[in-house]
Amino acid sequence: MGAMPPDNISSPPAGYDGWGTLRRFLPYLWPRDNTGLRWRIVIAVAMVLASTATQMTLPYLLKWAVDAMTVTGPRIVQFALLYVLAYAMGRFVQTGFDNLRNIVFERVGQDATRALAENVFGQLHRLSLRFHLSRRTGEVTKTIERGTKSIDTMLYFLLFNIAPTVLQLGIVAVIFYLNFGWGLVAATAVAIAAYILVTRIITEWRTKLREQMNQLDGKALAHAVDALLNYETVKYFGAEGREQERYARSTRAYAEAAVKSENSLGLLNVAQAVVVNLLMAGALAYTVYGWWHGRFTAGQLVFVQTYLTQLFRPLDMLGMVYRTIRQGMIDMAAMFSLLDAEIEVQDIPSAPALAIRKPTVTFENVVFGYDPDRTILHGLSFHVPAGKQIAVVGPSGAGKSTIARLLFRFYDPWSGRILIDGQDITQVTQESLRAAIGIVPQDSVLFNDTIGYNIAYGREGATQGDVEIAARGAAILPFIKQLPKGFDTEVGERGLKLSGGEKQRVAIARTLVKNPPILVLDEATSALDSRTEKDILATLHQVSENRTSLSIAHRLSTIADADEILVLDHGLVAEQGRHSALLEMGGLYAEMWNRQQNEIVPEAGGATEAAE
């Protein structure tokens, strides 16, 4: 009887309110700006009413046919045949109404799902970097996947199972009262109440089992994804056996939970069958007893049996329906919790676009930390003149990379200001701010697409000509032309089919396509071997000409020719000046320089697969 419930069972989020979630979803289901979709809903409801009306007349046709068969005569045979044919036609018409209803409503459900998913996806890109660093990407994508998948199914059961069943209950109660009196109505009501109670109790128990099963499934998936993402690390340490055993423990636990869950389904089916068949036996016995005393006809036996069968057919799925709707509410609530997540960095109302005449960058007494109990920048102040190449160096933890994140406004300072051409970046739109700044990061992550796509990603609407010019400027065009597929060469996930130097050049080309007035080089060569680093540095120096550039560096040799070098220590500028002047000072910079000159820098380079 009870069908298998969906697998995507998750726990309700904190403060879960099912009815509140449904109220929030209704605007997606009844869009104010789309009259066509609202008409579809009206037509679908009309189809539901027509299907229910047809279904309610079918038992009468069977009753009349059976009663006609108890009387002899050619005319009676004609009536019996007519009723039987009408019954068959009615079943066909009902099926037609049900399928037309599904066809009409499908676009409504899909449009509601699409609109909600798009809103959540847009929200995820509006949330701060802090949110994404604190949440697992797999967890977030799973929340969206579960929420969107459950919506269509939940709507189907809510509108086309629960609502028609409630309507049928009312109609059957009236029909039973008119034909058999209050006794059968009361017995049916008690049986249905018992059926719903038993189903809910067992289903709640099954829900806990399925939640445990789902958690174990997610744990197994997380282990598998983690191991595959760290494939190289697993190989480095010969840990294949460990990873397989770790995964096996999760799958064994999942299998045990799955057995318990499936066994509980059998118990639910048996409990439902007991209630249904007790009512069926009592109702049919009552009809036979009335027929024996001449109060009922033979046709009323079929009449009662058909109505009860029709009534309990949708109720047979009550366990799954209840679970699906409940789970749909929970999954939608999880999606709405993403929509409700606080947007840490927001544009002020009516914020103007950043207008740049002279691309200067100024930090004024900036105080910031990622956690309230750990301050990174302690009142940092410095100025980058337009067209100059300024370098920022310092020991690990001094706050070098934090500068780039604040400049792109991934976070806002706790106090102080960051100015570009004299404009506070918190007072202008984030879109215009980020359009004015280009970055070549230390780890150049590429999309799992072609080289051409990754370069063109720098600016929307970039042409093939723009891509080729940028590739030439980044000194990667000769390499691309050597590839069999040229710009259509796939780079693999995170660009792993390219070497470190090739990935950096693609990142440089992407920034050249963007053509920003301000350029940030965030330790752009620290992961490269010395030969590749030298080539990349030459390219970066050429790219930085006629731009304001801020180079965040670990290797001091890469920024020795900068117009000015800022030495950070504990979130403050400890020293500043040109390379030669800082060496003469004999301070922190000179100490770092001497230490690095005495170190043996290991060669680091990646083999390229793209050319193979």
Side-chain angles (χ1 to χ4, degrees), residues 361 363 382 384 388-392 403-404 407 518-522 548-552 566:
V361 178
F363 275 57
F382 65 84
V384 181
K388 297 295 183 179
Q389 298 181 27
I390 305 299
V392 178
I403 291 174
L407 191 58
I518 299 172
L519 182 62
V520 177
L521 308 175
D522 187 2
T548 300
S549 69
L550 186 65
S551 298
I552 299 166
L566 308 177

Side-chain angles (χ1 to χ4, degrees), residues 276-287:
V276 172
N277 288 290
L278 281 176
L279 174 64
M280 188 72 74
L284 294 180
Y286 173 73
T287 308

Side-chain angles (χ1 to χ4, degrees), residues 59 62-63 66-67 176 180 184 280-291 296-309:
L62 277 184
K63 171 184 177 296
V66 172
D67 287 339
F176 277 6
F180 306 101
L184 190 56
M280 188 72 74
L284 294 180
Y286 173 73
T287 308
V288 171
Y289 180 79
W291 168 77
F296 302 142
T297 66
Q300 285 178 301
L301 182 72
V302 179
F303 183 73
V304 170
Q305 192 274 340
T306 307
Y307 268 121
L308 291 180
T309 301

